[in-house]
Every structure is written in C-alpha cells, then in structure tokens.
Amino acid sequence: MAYMAERLEALEAQVKKLNGLQGQDGRDGIDGKDGAPGTDGRNGVDGKDGVPGKDGQDGVDGKDGAPGKDGVSDIPGSSGRDGKDGQDGVDGKDGAPGKDGRDGVDGKDGAPGKDGQDGQSITGAPGKDGRGGVDGKDAFVTPADIAHLEVRFRNQWKSDVAIAMRAHFAESHQDK
C-alpha cells in the first residue's frame, strides 16, 4: 500500500507541473505583446506563463466489488496405517461366591379332580374281582417318571436359576 501512495504522489507532482502551464482559472495564459520588429525580421517575444491553478476536490470513492468465489474445502486427507495388535492381558481372579438366593414362591394348588367310580358297573350289578397284581420293584425311576418331573418343575427351576443369577450379578457389580 505504501508503494501505491508513493506512486500517486509522484503522479500528482507531474500533474502540478503540467497544470503550471495554465492560469488560475484554468485557461491558457495571455500572450505577451509583440515586441518591436527586429532587424533580422524575427517575431516579438511571447509573454510570461500564468500562475498555476488551485488543486480540485477529491473524487467520490467507488463502490465495493462483488465478493470472490469461495475456496475449495472438505478435501479428505490420506488414511493412516492400521496399528499392530497388542498382547492379551492376564485373566483376572474369580470373585467371591455369591450369597444364596431367596426361596421361590409356592405354586397355586390345582383344581380338584373328579371322583372315581366304585368297582360296580353302571347297572348296579357287582363286578368281578380282578387278578392280583405283580409286586413292583423298589426305588426304580423310569425315563417317563423323569420326563414327568421335568415338565412339572421346569418353571420352578427357571425361576430359581434367574433369582440366583440376579443375586450374583447384583453382588458382583457393586462398587467397592
């Protein structure tokens, strides 16, 4: 900016010199009177130059130009290299055993069964005695017995396991 100011001052100085060739009112200076004719037949001498005119007022500043276009952005950078896998840490120690869970709630009683028939036929005639049964074996449990117990107690076992797991998680996740 300082360079431009220096150039402007130099230009103004040159314009002032040129303006010195004009009179105060901006018109050409008045020619001097012709001198007496010389012996060699030359013309007379011209008059003196007029005084330089005053400087004019500064002009009005121009309007701002239109805004420039935005630069390019959002250019993605190159991807970094993947790091190496670290070594696995040592397994932690097992926690203390959990507290016993609370007892489960007893189930509801089933509906009462229908009464069985007595040994007589519907007509009321006495029935014949049946044959004597074969003695059973002591302490023998069949796969059918196990399946029956599994179906009967499945919900109870699920409830007991869920209660035990909740108690274990609650105890193992307490802030110490």
Side-chain angles (χ1 to χ4, degrees), residues 88-154:
D88 290 341
V90 178
D91 290 341
K93 295 181 180 179
D94 289 341
K99 296 178 182 177
D100 290 340
R102 52 193 162 116
D103 291 341
V105 179
D106 290 341
K108 295 180 182 178
D109 289 341
K114 294 180 182 179
D115 289 340
Q117 296 179 354
D118 59 8
Q120 297 178 354
S121 67
I122 297 176
T123 60
K128 295 181 183 177
D129 288 340
R131 290 184 313 178
V134 178
D135 290 340
K137 296 179 183 176
D138 291 337
F140 180 75
V141 179
T142 67
D145 293 335
I146 294 172
H148 172 74
L149 290 174
E150 180 182 345
V151 170
R152 184 164 183 212
F153 291 105
R154 181 178 293 145

Side-chain angles (χ1 to χ4, degrees), residues 152-171:
R152 184 164 183 212
F153 291 105
R154 181 178 293 145
N155 288 335
Q156 177 84 29
W157 294 335
K158 283 183 182 178
S159 176
D160 290 347
V161 169
I163 291 168
M165 288 177 67
R166 272 191 232 112
H168 171 74
F169 289 133
E171 184 177 299

